[in-house]
Each structure stands twice: as structure tokens, then as C-alpha cells.
Amino acid sequence: SEESTSVARAYWQRAGLADRIELRLGPAARTLRELPAGTSFDFAFIDADKTGYVAYWDLIVPMIRPGGGILVENTLAHGRVVDLRQQDDPVQGIRRFNGRARADARVEQVLLPIGDGLTLARKL
């Protein structure tokens, strides 16, 4: 959103990095698909709509350089992921993501029980 990024822009300026950051506002999956072929990153952070995490993962992992990292926010959903009574869409999305990431042989990862849960993955 413009509101959130206006705060970020102030910090980019303060850090002297504003000229190196290209902001793209829009749906994350579409934005990733529209990047030029061969685009690669050292690091990615996923913290968006929880039902889209699997799509974001599937799109970003091939773009991460070997040895690069991915940090994924909210992967414990305050413990709701293990409470089978919780069936809302965001929790289901996180469960699907956790299963996909756990089975992904392209990365090694650890789920950190910090706050709402952080998954840290390193591309092999």
C-alpha cells in the first residue's frame, strides 16, 4: 500500500538506499511472474496474504541464488496451525505452505518459534 511504503521510503532515504530500491506495488504473484527471465535474488521475505504463501514460495525459490535465504513470517499462526479446530483460510494456507516447504528438497530450513513463527530457509 502507499501508506505502508511511505514509511518505508523515509527509512530508505535515511539509510541512503533509496536510489537502489525499486518499489513495485501490486499482487505479489503477478509481480514475481512479470520479472524478467533470469532474475535472481540473495534474499526474499514472505509476509503477505497467507492463502498465497504456496504460490509465492513456488515462484521465489527458483529465483534465489544457491546459498541465498528466504524468511517466511507467521508460520505458526500463534499456534493455530496445530489446532485442528482452526479451519479458516489463512490457517489452512499456512498449513499448506508448511507442508510444501518441509518437503522441498531445494532448501534446508528451520522453523523458529519466535513470535508468530518464522521459517528460515537456505537454498542448496
Side-chain angles (χ1 to χ4, degrees), residues 63-103:
M63 295 179 180
I64 299 294
R65 292 182 186 105
I70 305 169
L71 185 63
V72 186
E73 175 74 289
N74 309 117
T75 52
L76 288 176
H78 294 289
R80 293 180 306 161
V81 293
V82 296
D83 182 351
L84 297 181
R85 296 172 297 171
Q86 299 290 324
Q87 297 297 318
D88 60 86
D89 289 342
V91 171
Q92 294 285 16
I94 294 294
R95 286 182 186 136
R96 282 190 299 274
F97 165 76
N98 286 341
R100 175 71 57 93
R102 187 174 59 85

Side-chain angles (χ1 to χ4, degrees), residues 57-63 66-67 100-101 103-109 122-124:
W57 180 262
D58 289 345
L59 290 163
I60 200 67
V61 170
M63 295 179 180
R100 175 71 57 93
D104 196 329
R106 300 172 294 176
V107 299
E108 60 183 359
Q109 75 237 268
R122 183 179 74 88
K123 186 163 179 189
L124 300 173

Side-chain angles (χ1 to χ4, degrees), residues 1-9:
S1 74
E2 277 298 330
E3 181 181 340
S4 297
T5 56
S6 67
V7 173
R9 280 189 182 112

Side-chain angles (χ1 to χ4, degrees), residues 21-59:
I21 296 172
E22 180 182 334
L23 174 65
R24 296 179 185 215
L25 291 177
R30 184 184 74 205
T31 301
L32 289 169
R33 284 185 194 101
E34 290 174 351
L35 291 172
T39 297
S40 63
F41 300 101
D42 293 318
F43 181 79
F45 178 64
I46 299 174
D47 182 20
D49 62 296
K50 309 316 173 218
T51 58
Y53 272 27
V54 169
Y56 308 143
W57 180 262
D58 289 345
L59 290 163

